[in-house]
Amino acid sequence: MTTTFEPGHSGFTETVARSFARQGFLALIGARLASVAPGRVSVELPFSERVGQQQGLFHGAVTGAVGDVAGGYAALTLMPEGIEVLTAEYKINLLRPALGSLLTATGEVIRAGKTMIVARIDVTVAGGRPSAAGAPPVLVAALQATYMRSAVTAGTS
Amino acid sequence: MTTTFEPGHSGFTETVARSFARQGFLALIGARLASVAPGRVSVELPFSERVGQQQGLFHGAVTGAVGDVAGGYAALTLMPEGIEVLTAEYKINLLRPALGSLLTATGEVIRAGKTMIVARIDVTVAGGRPSAAGAPPVLVAALQATYMRSAVTAGTS
Amino acid sequence: MTTTFEPGHSGFTETVARSFARQGFLALIGARLASVAPGRVSVELPFSERVGQQQGLFHGAVTGAVGDVAGGYAALTLMPEGIEVLTAEYKINLLRPALGSLLTATGEVIRAGKTMIVARIDVTVAGGRPSAAGAPPVLVAALQATYMRSAVTAGTS
Amino acid sequence: MTTTFEPGHSGFTETVARSFARQGFLALIGARLASVAPGRVSVELPFSERVGQQQGLFHGAVTGAVGDVAGGYAALTLMPEGIEVLTAEYKINLLRPALGSLLTATGEVIRAGKTMIVARIDVTVAGGRPSAAGAPPVLVAALQATYMRSAVTAGTS
C-alpha cells in the first residue's frame, strides 16, 4: 500500500539537507543524500575501505546505519518546522552479501502518527558483478523502523 | 534465564581476536574487544568525533553496529574451528541518549541451534555526567539478534 | 521492489490449503485463506468476540498471529514438495486501532534463500466506519518475518 | 542489568487483574495471571487443543500473543491510575519447539520513558518430556517490545 503524504512544511528539503550536513558520522563514511520527497528519502554510499569488511563487502553495520538514516529523514520530511525525529527502534534483515560499488537506502513512511512515525526501508547494492552491467540493483537488506517526534534541542537548529 | 555454554573449540579467544582485527570498520571507529567468554563478548568504544552526532552523543547507528558486533562474536565463541557467523537480522531499541565517554556492548547467546544462534545485547554508556562519578553505566540500547553459521570464505581465514 | 517467484512445486495451492486446515488455532479464531500465489498469500479473519479485545477491536495478538501465518504460507508456496517452514522470528508494528469487520493479512516473500525465507506482511482492516462505505481498507499493522526450511515431521504429512 | 521500579500507583495489582479479565481473547485461550510485581508480570497458559498446532505444540502465534500480553502488563504496573498502555511494536524469536504442558511468559520492563516503555519477555515451557520430571522449564521464545502510554478510552474503565 502506497500512501501520499503532505510535507510537514515547505522547506522540508532544506531541513533534511541541513540536518544531514551536521552529522559527522555520515560524512566520515561518505554517505550523501540522493533524493528527498515527502515521506520518501534515498541515501547513497559509494564503496570504500572505510565501510567495508574483510571480504570486500559493505559492512552489515554500515548497511543498517544508512538504512536507519534514510528512514529517519523520510520521517523528518513530514514534521512541522522545528521538530526533529529520533530513532526509537528498528529491525533489519540482511538478505544477501552487500557486494558492489554503490549502496542505496530508500526509506518510505507507512504511518505518520501523532507521536510515532513508522517507515520501511529497502537497501540495494548496484555494480556487484562486472559481468552484469545494466543488471538491476540487488536488495541486500530490509528494515522496519519507528521514529519519535522530538522538540529541537536548544542550540542545534 | 542464564545458560552456560561450552566453547566451540579451545582457541575461541584467538579466533575472535583475529576476526576482529580484520574488520576495517571497527578499527575506523576505534572499537576494541573488552572481554571474550563462551557465549558472552563485550566490545568497547571510546567517544570521538568519528562516532558522534551533532549533539555530542554516540550516533545511534554506531550503537547498533557495536551491539551487532558484540552479539556476533558471542555467537562465534561457540562455533567449531573454521566456522564463521553471519548476521541474519537484529532488532534494536534505543532507550536513552547515548551521552558519555565510553560505550560498552555486551552480547550473550540465549540459544545456539544447529543453523541459527540467537543473542541479546545490552549497550551501556559510562561517564555521561561528570557530577555522577562512580555512578553505574546507563543502559542506552537493547538488541535481539539472529546469526547464521557459515563456512569460512576461501582466502579469508 | 517486487520480485516474481517460481512456485516450489505444481501442487503448492493444495499444500497450503492442507496445512492450513490442520491448524486448530486458525479454525478456532475463524481465519480462512483468501488467495494463494507463488510468494504471496492472503489470509482473512472476520471480526467476532473470539478475536476481539475490550474496546471492540481485533486483538493485537490476533493481528500478529494472522500476519505471521500469511507470511509463513507465502514462504511455503516456494518450497519443494515435502518441505515445511517454521517461523524463526518476526517483528510487528501496530499502526492503528484494528477497528472493523474484516481483517486481511497479505504476506509477500522478499528473499528466498537456501535456509531462510524473509517476508513482509501488510495487515489491513475494512469496514471500520459505517459512514465510510467504499473507503479503502486501512493499514493496521506491518510485519517483517524470517522463516526456516524444515523437513516434514514424520506422521504429520 | 536489573532495575528496580516504583509501581505507578498503589492499586497496580488490581488494575492489571481487572484489565486482564476484560480481554475475551485471553479467556478464550485459557491464559491466567501468574504473578504481578512492579515492572514484572508473568502470564501462564496450560496446553489445550485450542492453543495447539498440528504437532501437539503450542502455536507460535499463541506464544507471541502471551509474550506480548506479559510485557504489556509489566508496563501497566508502572502507569499512574487511569493510564493504559498500547503495544506499539514487538519482535519475537521462536527458539525451540514449544512442547509441554504449561507455557509461562514473564515480561520485565527495561526502560520506562515518558511516552514509551520497553520490555523484554522470556517465554518458557515446562512438562515437555515426561522422563524429565523436575527438569527446569525450557526457553522457547524471546521478545523485545515497545508499549505506549495512552489515556483510557471512555466507557471501558
Side-chain angles (χ1 to χ4, degrees):
Chain A
M1 301 180 73
T2 301
T3 316
T4 311
F5 290 104
E6 292 296 311
H9 65 103
S10 59
F12 70 94
T13 307
E14 293 73 25
T15 298
V16 168
R18 231 174 9 239
S19 171
F20 197 94
R22 277 201 309 268
Q23 301 212 30
F25 176 72
L26 298 177
L28 173 75
I29 63 175
R32 61 197 183 211
L33 280 168
S35 72
V36 178
R40 192 174 198 278
V41 166
S42 289
V43 176
E44 284 181 351
L45 179 68
F47 187 81
S48 72
E49 287 198 4
R50 285 174 295 171
V51 296
Q53 50 153 231
Q54 64 268 40
Q55 295 102 341
L57 309 168
F58 286 92
H59 198 287
V62 169
T63 303
V66 177
D68 172 29
V69 163
Y73 283 122
L76 186 59
T77 63
L78 306 182
M79 296 299 105
E81 213 163 354
I83 298 295
E84 294 199 341
V85 298
L86 297 173
T87 303
E89 59 85 31
Y90 65 88
K91 183 254 201 290
I92 179 168
N93 280 81
L94 297 164
L95 304 172
R96 289 184 182 84
L99 179 66
S101 55
L102 184 68
L103 180 146
T104 304
T106 302
E108 289 199 46
V109 173
I110 59 170
R111 168 70 173 145
K114 254 183 289 188
T115 51
M116 293 199 283
I117 301 99
V118 178
R120 276 177 172 154
I121 303 105
D122 280 359
V123 185
T124 62
V125 171
R129 293 176 198 78
S131 63
V138 172
L139 186 68
V140 299
L143 293 85
Q144 191 166 306
T146 308
Y147 303 92
M148 255 185 73
R149 290 169 192 249
S150 155
V152 174
T153 308
T156 64
S157 63
Chain B
M1 300 178 73
T2 299
T3 316
T4 311
F5 290 103
E6 291 297 310
H9 65 104
S10 59
F12 69 94
T13 307
E14 293 73 26
T15 298
V16 168
R18 225 167 21 233
S19 171
F20 197 93
R22 279 202 307 270
Q23 302 212 32
F25 175 73
L26 297 177
L28 174 74
I29 62 175
R32 60 196 184 213
L33 281 168
S35 71
V36 178
R40 193 172 197 276
V41 166
S42 289
V43 177
E44 283 180 352
L45 180 68
F47 187 81
S48 71
E49 288 198 4
R50 287 175 294 172
V51 296
Q53 49 154 230
Q54 63 268 38
Q55 293 101 344
L57 309 169
F58 285 92
H59 197 288
V62 169
T63 304
V66 177
D68 173 28
V69 163
Y73 283 121
L76 187 58
T77 62
L78 306 183
M79 296 299 105
E81 210 161 358
I83 298 295
E84 294 200 341
V85 298
L86 296 173
T87 304
E89 59 85 32
Y90 65 88
K91 183 255 200 293
I92 180 169
N93 279 81
L94 297 165
L95 304 173
R96 290 185 181 83
L99 180 65
S101 55
L102 184 69
L103 180 146
T104 304
T106 302
E108 289 199 46
V109 173
I110 58 170
R111 167 71 174 144
K114 255 182 288 186
T115 53
M116 295 199 284
I117 302 99
V118 178
R120 278 175 171 156
I121 303 107
D122 280 359
V123 185
T124 61
V125 171
R129 293 177 198 78
S131 61
V138 171
L139 186 69
V140 298
L143 292 86
Q144 192 166 307
T146 309
Y147 303 92
M148 253 183 74
R149 287 168 192 251
S150 156
V152 173
T153 308
T156 63
S157 62
Chain C
M1 301 180 69
T2 300
T3 315
T4 311
F5 290 103
E6 291 295 312
H9 66 103
S10 59
F12 69 94
T13 307
E14 292 72 28
T15 299
V16 168
R18 231 176 6 241
S19 172
F20 197 94
R22 278 202 307 269
Q23 302 212 31
F25 176 72
L26 297 176
L28 174 74
I29 63 175
R32 60 197 183 210
L33 281 168
S35 72
V36 178
R40 192 174 199 277
V41 166
S42 289
V43 176
E44 285 180 351
L45 180 67
F47 187 81
S48 71
E49 287 199 3
R50 286 174 294 172
V51 295
Q53 49 156 228
Q54 63 269 36
Q55 293 101 342
L57 309 168
F58 285 92
H59 196 286
V62 168
T63 304
V66 177
D68 173 29
V69 163
Y73 283 122
L76 186 59
T77 63
L78 307 181
M79 295 300 105
E81 211 163 354
I83 298 296
E84 294 200 343
V85 298
L86 296 174
T87 303
E89 60 86 30
Y90 65 88
K91 183 255 200 293
I92 180 168
N93 280 82
L94 297 165
L95 304 173
R96 289 184 181 86
L99 180 65
S101 53
L102 184 68
L103 180 146
T104 304
T106 302
E108 288 198 47
V109 172
I110 59 171
R111 168 68 173 147
K114 254 182 293 186
T115 50
M116 292 198 285
I117 302 100
V118 179
R120 277 175 171 157
I121 302 105
D122 281 359
V123 185
T124 62
V125 171
R129 292 174 199 82
S131 63
V138 172
L139 185 69
V140 299
L143 292 85
Q144 191 166 306
T146 308
Y147 304 91
M148 255 183 74
R149 289 170 193 247
S150 156
V152 173
T153 307
T156 66
S157 61
Chain D
M1 301 179 69
T2 300
T3 317
T4 310
F5 291 104
E6 291 296 311
H9 65 104
S10 59
F12 70 93
T13 306
E14 292 73 26
T15 298
V16 168
R18 222 163 27 226
S19 171
F20 197 94
R22 279 201 308 269
Q23 300 211 34
F25 176 72
L26 298 176
L28 174 73
I29 62 175
R32 58 194 186 214
L33 282 167
S35 70
V36 178
R40 192 173 198 279
V41 165
S42 290
V43 176
E44 285 180 350
L45 179 67
F47 186 81
S48 71
E49 287 198 4
R50 286 174 294 172
V51 296
Q53 50 155 229
Q54 63 269 38
Q55 292 100 342
L57 309 167
F58 285 92
H59 197 287
V62 168
T63 304
V66 176
D68 172 29
V69 163
Y73 284 122
L76 186 60
T77 62
L78 307 181
M79 296 299 105
E81 208 160 0
I83 297 295
E84 293 200 343
V85 298
L86 296 173
T87 304
E89 59 85 34
Y90 65 89
K91 183 256 202 293
I92 179 168
N93 280 81
L94 297 164
L95 305 172
R96 286 184 184 86
L99 181 64
S101 54
L102 184 69
L103 180 147
T104 304
T106 302
E108 288 199 46
V109 173
I110 59 171
R111 167 69 173 146
K114 253 182 290 186
T115 51
M116 292 199 286
I117 302 98
V118 179
R120 277 176 171 157
I121 303 105
D122 280 359
V123 185
T124 62
V125 171
R129 292 175 200 78
S131 63
V138 172
L139 186 68
V140 298
L143 293 85
Q144 192 167 306
T146 309
Y147 303 92
M148 254 184 73
R149 289 168 192 250
S150 156
V152 174
T153 308
T156 64
S157 61

